Amino acid sequence: MSELDHNHALNQSIDTLSDALQSGRFVRMRRLLAGLHPAETAHLLESLPPTERKICWPLINPDLRGDVLSYIGEEVRTDLMTEMDTADLINATEDLDTDDIADILQDLPDHIVHEVLRAMDSQHRRRVEAVLAFDEDSAGGLMNTDVITVRTDITLEVVLRYLRMLGELPENTDSLYVVDHDDHYLGTLRLSQVVSRSRSLLVSEAMSHQVDPIPANMSDRDVARRFEKHDLISAPVIDKDNHLLGRITIDDVVDVIRDEAEHSMLSMAGLGEDEDTFAPVRRSVNRRSVWLGVNLLTAFLASWVIGLFDTTIQKQVALAVLMPIVASMGGIAGSQTLTLVIRSMALGQINDKNQRWLLRKEFLVGASNGIIWAVAIAIVTVIWFNSLSLGVLIGTAIVINLIAAALAGVTIPLTLKRIGIDPALSGSVLLTTVTDVIGFTAFLGFASMFIV
């Protein structure tokens, strides 16, 4: 089935479930939910308003709820877990991977976390606690401790017998990890090597040293970047003493990449990447009001600048007509540079050595675009208002604002990162303020000096 057909089928399931909800046909709802993959069930729940979501949740097979929770966004997951008692949570997390359990537990109050951990067997509890000990945005918080290790001094025949004895391998296992007797990481042994090479070979002869281990404190962004660069399916995680702690698999990295993309997009509007589309009105109002308040302050600043030239505007009404052009051109030019720089920062492409080169390049781009569009806008203005001086004025303001926008698009995110503020969260607001203030000041300032 193609992705388009799959999405169409899922949308049909959502429509069918909504109809069943409205008519109260709970048997049909339970049957529909039982036939879906946990990821599809998670998507379906996120597509429902909160009231309908709470009706559907108890109808899901209790043995599948943990898997469903592992696929759901943090905000929706927290809301659903508030409806579950401790026994339900223990049952839901019983068969999940260690990293998925850790993700779920981090959204729970401490006393419930302790209850869930206490219900686990000692080995499982130690694995989960090992992941919870790390920040959730680090390699340690991302890893799964369910790994298969082998020694260097055994043959591939012994490895094969060992794997048969295990019966089932952890998901996304493409390699075994080679360690010494103190669990220090030595290298990897690909499964393809195990099944294709001579069984009499020692692990030390078939192992590879090409996969560098990932430090447990590495950020999840850097982990995703390493997976992308080296086309990894899995990678070992070590502590500062080179002890093997666990592994990170590609499915977890895909989640990181998706979250980063959502974060970059939603942060520019002051929203979190786990924002629930169907969240209650009060919660949405509270979150968005803060960002609207910040924007209001910057808007007042721009209005104050305009107010300084109210006499000039009254004498030349055409200035009021042309002001939005100056602000809009600067805003768009700045946003282009800002978006490019934030993306490059996320990819780790910008460093102290190339920042000055980038600033000079964007200055030249801003100046070039400024001259090109200043000429075009000036010609239209002269024809429109039959005023050469007005055309020269707006052309000059456009050049100044586009240069300022380019410089601000580079310096604002770099400065915010240096002081520990997420550029995606506040960069666009600061940029808009800069381009509005400089654009209006240049346009109206020159107007008051040379035209009015």
Side-chain angles (χ1 to χ4, degrees):
M1 181 185 293
S2 68
E3 188 65 23
L4 185 61
D5 292 337
H6 180 270
N7 291 336
H8 179 67
L10 192 55
N11 289 333
Q12 283 187 326
S13 298
I14 295 173
D15 294 338
T16 303
L17 186 66
S18 298
D19 293 339
L21 274 168
Q22 293 176 1
S23 59
R25 288 175 288 179
F26 296 109
V27 175
R28 185 180 184 186
M29 291 168 56
R30 185 177 281 107
R31 189 182 302 118
L32 174 64
L33 292 169
L36 296 176
H37 185 276
E40 295 172 335
T41 304
H43 175 79
L44 188 148
L45 289 172
E46 291 180 325
S47 303
L48 295 174
T51 304
E52 297 179 4
R53 194 181 287 157
K54 290 180 179 179
I55 295 174
C56 286
W57 180 243
L59 300 177
I60 298 173
N61 186 336
D63 294 334
L64 298 177
R65 289 179 188 170
D67 290 319
V68 174
L69 287 174
S70 68
Y71 286 107
I72 289 181
E74 183 176 327
E75 182 174 340
V76 177
R77 182 169 64 205
T78 302
D79 287 342
L80 291 175
M81 288 193 299
T82 57
E83 304 295 320
M84 303 173 66
D85 56 32
T86 305
D88 290 335
L89 286 168
I90 292 173
N91 181 63
T93 57
E94 190 173 15
D95 297 322
L96 293 181
D97 290 337
T98 305
D99 53 340
D100 291 331
I101 296 176
D103 287 340
I104 292 174
L105 293 184
Q106 286 167 346
D107 298 329
L108 296 173
D110 289 341
H111 69 280
I112 297 180
V113 173
H114 293 317
E115 288 290 330
V116 175
L117 289 175
R118 192 163 57 186
M120 299 177 181
D121 61 70
S122 58
Q123 184 180 21
H124 199 191
R125 180 169 59 252
R126 284 196 300 271
R127 288 179 173 181
V128 174
E129 288 175 341
V131 177
L132 289 174
F134 295 96
D135 186 87
E136 63 177 322
D137 295 327
S138 68
L142 200 62
M143 71 179 180
N144 190 333
T145 56
D146 190 8
V147 296
I148 298 177
T149 60
V150 294
R151 309 283 192 229
T152 57
D153 55 354
I154 62 174
T155 64
L156 298 187
E157 173 67 29
V158 175
V159 173
L160 279 170
R161 289 205 303 267
Y162 174 55
L163 295 179
R164 292 193 192 101
M165 182 187 69
L166 290 177
E168 185 177 355
L169 302 182
E171 291 186 10
N172 296 312
T173 297
D174 65 320
S175 299
L176 312 179
Y177 298 123
V178 184
V179 296
D180 62 17
H181 291 284
D182 294 319
D183 281 335
H184 291 110
Y185 173 76
L186 300 176
T188 60
L189 177 63
R190 297 181 63 85
L191 288 180
S192 60
Q193 295 287 83
V194 175
V195 299
S196 64
R197 301 289 297 274
S198 171
R199 297 184 182 183
S200 61
L201 282 177
L202 293 174
V203 168
S204 59
E205 298 173 302
M207 64 185 285
S208 169
H209 300 280
Q210 293 182 349
V211 179
D212 293 328
I214 295 176
N217 60 357
M218 178 182 284
S219 71
D220 55 1
R221 285 185 179 183
D222 291 336
V223 170
R225 198 173 298 128
R226 180 175 292 191
F227 267 70
E228 178 189 4
K229 287 182 177 178
H230 299 284
D231 293 328
L232 300 175
I233 296 176
S234 66
V237 179
I238 58 170
D239 63 12
K240 58 183 177 60
D241 297 318
N242 199 41
H243 290 109
L244 181 67
L245 299 177
R247 66 184 181 125
I248 295 175
T249 52
I250 187 62
D251 57 322
D252 297 313
V253 174
V254 169
D255 291 339
V256 172
I257 295 171
R258 181 200 63 200
D259 291 343
E260 283 299 314
E262 292 178 352
H263 172 76
S264 297
M265 179 179 67
L266 294 175
S267 290
M268 291 185 179
L271 303 174
E273 62 264 29
D274 291 308
E275 185 85 13
D276 180 9
T277 304
F278 300 98
V281 172
R282 178 178 294 181
R283 185 188 302 171
S284 297
V285 169
N286 290 339
R287 289 177 174 173
R288 300 182 196 183
S289 292
V290 174
W291 204 241
L292 289 172
V294 173
N295 278 274
L296 179 61
L297 293 176
T298 62
F300 273 130
L301 178 59
S303 298
W304 174 75
V305 172
I306 295 173
L308 295 177
F309 302 97
D310 58 343
T311 304
T312 303
I313 297 174
Q314 290 175 8
K315 294 180 180 179
Q316 181 63 271
V317 179
L319 297 175
V321 177
L322 296 172
M323 277 195 307
I325 297 176
V326 179
S328 177
M329 291 295 290
I332 293 297
S335 295
Q336 290 174 336
T337 304
L338 180 73
T339 302
L340 182 67
V341 171
I342 291 178
R343 170 185 171 274
S344 299
M345 291 169 64
L347 294 175
Q349 296 173 343
I350 296 180
N351 53 55
D352 293 337
K353 294 182 179 180
N354 59 24
Q355 288 178 13
R356 186 169 297 179
W357 186 96
L358 179 63
L359 189 65
R360 184 167 59 251
K361 175 247 184 178
E362 289 300 325
F363 171 84
L364 294 175
V365 171
S368 300
N369 273 329
I371 294 171
I372 292 170
W373 292 106
V375 172
I377 294 171
I379 292 173
V380 173
T381 301
V382 171
I383 296 173
W384 189 358
F385 294 99
N386 195 28
S387 172
L388 179 61
S389 59
L390 200 57
V392 173
L393 170 65
I394 193 171
T396 304
I398 288 292
V399 173
I400 293 173
N401 206 20
L402 262 63
I403 292 175
L407 296 178
V410 175
T411 57
I412 286 176
L414 293 177
T415 303
L416 289 175
K417 183 179 180 180
R418 189 165 287 125
I419 62 178
I421 299 176
D422 185 358
L425 183 61
S426 51
S428 59
V429 175
L430 295 177
L431 176 68
T432 301
T433 304
V434 169
T435 55
D436 284 354
V437 169
I438 291 180
F440 291 147
T441 300
F443 185 50
L444 299 176
F446 286 139
S448 63
M449 293 170 59
F450 300 112
I451 296 183
V452 179

